[in-house]
Amino acid sequence: MTAATRSFGMRLGGVCLAAVTLLTFTGSPQAANSLPGLRATAAESSDATLGYRADGRADGYAAEATAAPPFRKLWSRDFGAAVSAPVAIGDKVYAVVNADDGTEGGPRMVLVGLRAATGKNLWPPVTVTDNEPDASVTYGGGLLYTQTSRGTIAAWDPATGRKKWSVRLEGASVQYPVAWYGGMLYLQDGVGNALALRATTGARVWTAPLSEYGWSPTVVDSTGVWIGFDDIAWHHLDLRTGAELHRFEVPDIWGAYGNPVALGAGAVWVRGGKSSDPTVTAYDRKTGAAVRTLPADATPAFGPGRVYVAHQGKVRALSTSTYKAAWTYTSSVGAATVRLVANGHVYVQDADGRLVVLDDRTGKAVWSYRLHPAPHPQTRIVAEDDWRGFVPPGIATARGRLFVPGAEGTLIGFGKG
């Protein structure tokens, strides 16, 4: 297969399409349609965790997960300073790690690929890029994608660890992972633009202006791209063109980390509020009307008929029809975050240092594991710290296994007990 490329600038629907690269394939249509990055693979369509907050909707839900407690520890690897939210696909697990051991004078972001059953390397760890902190990894269409704070986006072969392509967004400040959907990568550059890149090549397809500069995750579903900002607005953009479908003002919502957006229970959920009165607000996706506001100091997670909301260490499982609590879990130190909802269980990262797994029907703790020492009683505890050690937090599951970043840059693999 060969390809000819050409670049040009144009405008479509009021959106600037700068330096769009078109690929013309002279091979068979079947070959073109099989390009890595173009289409979701069978492995990622079920029982997989594709990155930060589980998937492109950032809802924390692994719909077809098979993992269930009790678990036993299969392996543990020490990677340096910190481990990102892992990607778990089939019998493999991937993560970006800060490999700085304290002697290098700063972060060193490295991509690792491991065998899920043993934790052994699939290939030698590879440096994501030099001297660029804040990195993460996501998966889509059979490729891995990394991003760094200075706007280096790269695609990697998950079988070999070889780089497929890399692009640099000049002047960017990117703090959250890219979102893969339908053969495209969606992100915002931190300096007032949303972007779409071809997942197969990294070529820019569109650029769209946003209402604000800042750090905010990008979430995506079949209806479009969703991005929110502190005390300004959240945006809903067309997948194909970047044209603004809706912009909804949220002048009374400001606070943590650019108002992370999550899609769940038929609404757009935006986290924010003053530090003394943190909240999460659900907005109607068509009208922008605030449907409800709940006390919350962490981004909510979702499951069938449920939204899980944490506030001051109390995790409540709320019905999405009545918004009454089915059960409440209480942290002994007043801070907790729901990291994953999978196969009838809710995975709570308790700030007391434990991962606690709850039965979704009853809220009863059915398994726990100490990841960190208990904090000193006078320690200031933040329920959800989106970036620790220059990586985003999270846990992953695939094929009955669980993968959890632990203390001091470790990644732990769990299997059936």
Side-chain angles (χ1 to χ4, degrees), residues 141-415:
L143 291 177
L144 298 166
Y145 308 95
T146 59
Q147 122 290 326
T148 68
S149 63
R150 294 173 189 160
T152 298
I153 315 298
W156 308 81
D157 184 336
T160 65
R162 293 175 183 167
K163 188 181 295 184
K164 304 289 286 186
W165 55 258
S166 178
V167 297
R168 176 73 177 269
L169 308 177
E170 293 300 327
S173 178
V174 182
Q175 297 292 318
Y176 285 92
V178 299
W180 182 93
Y181 189 88
M184 303 285 285
L185 300 179
Y186 299 96
L187 69 152
Q188 64 97 9
D189 63 7
V191 290
N193 301 292
L195 303 96
L197 309 178
R198 295 198 188 283
T200 53
T201 65
R204 189 178 302 201
V205 176
W206 53 255
T207 303
L210 298 172
S211 60
E212 183 61 56
Y213 286 30
W215 300 335
S216 178
T218 301
V219 299
V220 60
D221 67 359
S222 61
T223 70
V225 183
W226 307 79
I227 301 171
F229 286 106
D230 284 356
D231 202 20
I232 301 291
W234 50 270
H235 300 260
H236 182 204
L237 308 177
D238 184 88
L239 288 166
R240 296 178 300 107
T241 68
E244 190 171 79
L245 302 176
H246 304 96
R247 180 189 297 194
F248 298 114
E249 306 302 319
V250 288
D252 297 326
I253 302 295
W254 65 276
Y257 306 101
N259 289 345
V261 173
L263 302 178
V268 179
W269 297 73
V270 179
R271 194 177 105 217
K274 298 179 180 179
S275 59
S276 60
D277 185 27
T279 61
V280 64
T281 300
Y283 293 92
D284 185 282
R285 291 161 57 127
K286 294 182 179 179
T287 67
V291 178
R292 60 185 41 83
T293 296
L294 303 170
D297 52 16
T299 305
F302 300 86
R306 293 271 176 87
V307 55
Y308 306 90
V309 180
H311 182 243
Q312 296 181 351
K314 294 185 182 295
V315 176
R316 296 186 297 157
L318 304 179
S319 163
T320 53
S321 58
T322 66
Y323 282 86
K324 294 181 178 179
W327 49 259
T328 300
Y329 169 84
T330 302
S331 164
S332 63
V333 298
T337 303
V338 178
R339 292 291 185 210
L340 184 71
V341 179
N343 193 21
H345 293 88
V346 181
Y347 293 75
V348 175
Q349 191 160 349
D350 194 315
D352 70 0
R354 296 177 302 147
L355 175 68
V356 181
V357 183
L358 309 176
D359 185 306
D360 187 31
R361 295 169 300 171
T362 65
K364 179 181 178 181
V366 294
W367 185 83
S368 68
Y369 185 88
R370 180 159 294 283
L371 298 171
H372 306 272
H376 188 277
Q378 295 181 345
T379 301
R380 180 180 179 272
I381 299 173
V382 178
E384 184 175 27
D385 190 348
D386 291 58
W387 286 83
R388 292 180 179 174
F390 302 101
V391 295
I395 64 178
T397 183
R399 292 192 179 177
R401 301 185 183 99
L402 186 69
F403 309 97
V404 185
E408 304 300 330
T410 60
L411 179 62
I412 307 169
F414 296 94

